[in-house]
Amino acid sequence: MKKLFTLILLALLPLAASAQQQSIDQRVEELLGKMTIEDKIGQLNQMDGRRDLEKIKQEVRTGTLSSIMNIVDPAVTNELQRIAIEESPAGIPLLFARDVVHGFNTVLPIPLGQAASWDEELIEAASANTALEATERGIRWAFAPMMDIARDARWGRIAESFGEDTYMAGRLATAVVRGYQGESLANPTAMAACAKHFVGYGDAEGGRDYNTTSIPPRTLRDVYLPPFKACVDEGCASIMTSFNDNDGLPSTGNHWLLTELLREQWGFEGVVVSDWGSVAGLIPHGVAHDKRDAAHQCIEAGCDVDMSSRSYLLNLKDLIEKGEVEEAVLDEAVRRVLKLKMALGLFEQPYARTAEQSDIYSEPVLATACRLAEESVVMLKNEGKVLPLGESVKRVLVVGPMAHAPYDQMGTWALDGQKEHTITPIMALREQWGDKVAIDYVPCLTHPRDKSTAEFKRMTKAARKADVVVAFVGEEQMMSGEAHSLSSLDLQGVQGEMLEALAQTGTPLVTVFMAGRPLTISRQVEISDAVLYAWHPGTMGGKALANILFGVANPSGKLPVTFPRNVGQIPIYYNHKHTSHIAKGTEGNLDNIPRESPQSVMGHTSSYLDVAPTPLFPFGYGLSYTTFELSDIRIESTAVRPEESVKVSVVVSNTGEREGTEVVQLYTGRKTASVTQPMKELKDFQRITLRAGESRKVEFEVPVSRLAFHNRNMELAVEEGKYTLTIGTDSQTGLKTYFKIIK
Ligand code: NOJ
């Protein structure tokens, strides 16, 4: 009976949702009909809240503000909200927005670190916790997830991305959307998500933030756009434009992008917001004369909300009165903003929610953050099974500037993280293991850029006495993020020298990196016995690392981005195209180059003379304290039609001595098609936890439609022909099978 009731309820849900939408549409039309042109223009203006409060109040009172960024004090937001409702001409509630990028007060690992977990369920759960914390502070609009494909580690914002892969970015970004938005936006614990930056921003020339991009149409459609499409299909409430121009057109004024593609082809009904000042940004880009011209171009292109440039506020009225912009265009943008505010339930419950029991830094929120931090750690090396630290280890020396860097460990965009709440590695190691193992601590360097060698002697002396050294190195929070790009990815300061000195002592060396990006760490990997890559792991990073070092947790992270050997290899990513002169893999040794021979002696491959064509570590790579083997790959049918799925299974066995989790990755590739293809592409993945000795058949069902690409006629289509399918535990190895797509 109960089941029947649930079934009826489930069947009625879509009807209820569409009735709710109908009533929202109706209410919006009624409201719009009563609004003056000034009221309407005010609804498209978003400004920062970190300004003189009295001025902001006045703007709210006069109805010239629709949403405010960066106020997280509910006493202030509630007062502003009261003014909006009771004193502004149209009485429309405000919407409070913030960059809630990876956690709120409880800081989660940076998104690149979260991506290393490949755990969409956990990311969704942690994002839902983030929404709990942020909504308690009055925030109902979060400027995340960021899903820019990032293949250049010099770009500081790679930290905010889910890495280099299109399919993975889509899967993880949609997990964040689900976590933030929950079942219904009307729930006071839900925030509207914002997919950003639309589009191509991660391909900034030279890795320099804000730089121009030159992404050809097919690559744009096959590589950069799909994660956004996935978020649109997931019901993401808003989209933010990007700062860059692509092929001559700044995104915020790109009609094809914001209207023809996003709205007309994809059916997106939510709000498009500019990035900060990017409406007026058309002026320095050199495609608009002034703010009036910029406002004209952007509103017509389909950008609804002007973030912080006031170009709309100051010019739309004049543009409409002079007949240059139709009022219907304004109405359409306002309609979308009002719909979002109604969907969020702001007209019914405009004030910051009050929680009976605060979720901020609550036990369950911290526990989830800790698990995500554990799962984000990638073990890159573990020679002689130095890790986990076992019973034979009686004395550990902890060194390095990141062993206790409570601020830096939070990473970029930790606006609401408080370093007083950060658990650093040395804190956790002492607290959890201090009574069982002697833990010595010599920071040696005060911060990663420190160039002093004054403590080296004391450090090496302590290292000789220890059974193992654990060195925490990396980069400061300030080295990645917006406008923080680097031209060298080597360890800064004398961290490299510090590790050399430690390695020379002969005591086993475990190096833990905390950074916002892949650093160039070939030498450090070579001289370390074990290497963990922990990104910037957030509030609970220290505890997570202590758990991993002592084997309470088993590493399961896998690289979401290729690690280059040196900066010169960038951009380097696993799914590069087939080329006519594919590298053999053996190139790249200056010592092998003969003197004064003809040029052809080296062959003709796409490679460098001075560095191998292969990465230091490939995409998808990561070790565990146990070992896994794959066997018995079986494909159900070797000929499938476009509307069918490829069904394939593989047996995964835990061949080691403890429980562990493997990320089983499925890649497809094709050699011949109407346009050149990537060597292989990730098309599915599963996290599998197995007990020691356990084997399990893992099944995949990949819809053939997922293999579609933009063909020679620029149509998104599945092409007939032969495919390879590889299932592996990284992007370079695995078991291979074949299938054909037939029509
Ligand atoms: C600029 C950044 O590019 C964007 O990601 C962010 O959401 C806005 N500023 C608002 O802070």
Side-chain angles (χ1 to χ4, degrees), residues 568-588:
Q569 282 189 319
I570 292 174
I572 183 167
Y573 49 95
Y574 83 94
N575 49 353
H576 58 88
K577 294 270 193 91
H578 289 281
T579 62
S580 57
H581 294 66
I582 295 176
K584 294 195 289 279
T586 49
E587 302 90 336

Side-chain angles (χ1 to χ4, degrees), residues 9-67:
L9 208 68
L10 281 177
L12 290 177
L13 269 180
L15 293 180
S18 90
Q20 192 199 6
Q21 187 55 42
Q22 246 174 23
S23 99
I24 288 184
D25 291 350
Q26 220 170 19
R27 284 164 65 203
V28 165
E29 290 315 313
E30 278 164 24
L31 181 56
L32 201 60
K34 290 186 210 144
M35 288 165 75
T36 63
I37 192 162
E38 287 84 0
D39 294 337
K40 291 177 188 173
I41 293 170
Q43 283 308 305
L44 307 187
N45 188 35
Q46 178 178 67
M47 294 300 293
D48 193 13
R50 293 167 299 189
R51 293 179 291 134
D52 178 57
L53 189 57
E54 288 313 309
K55 263 200 192 135
I56 297 175
K57 283 185 184 169
Q58 196 46 29
E59 289 168 14
V60 175
R61 210 167 270 127
T62 51
T64 56
L65 258 182
S66 170
S67 53

Side-chain angles (χ1 to χ4, degrees), residues 69 99 143 157 160 196-197 201 240 243 275-276 307 413 482:
M69 295 174 280
D99 285 283
F143 297 141
R157 299 195 82 168
E160 281 176 68
K196 69 187 189 184
H197 303 87
Y201 181 47
M240 187 186 292
F243 284 127
D275 200 345
W276 188 289
M307 184 195 287
W413 282 121
E482 186 177 346

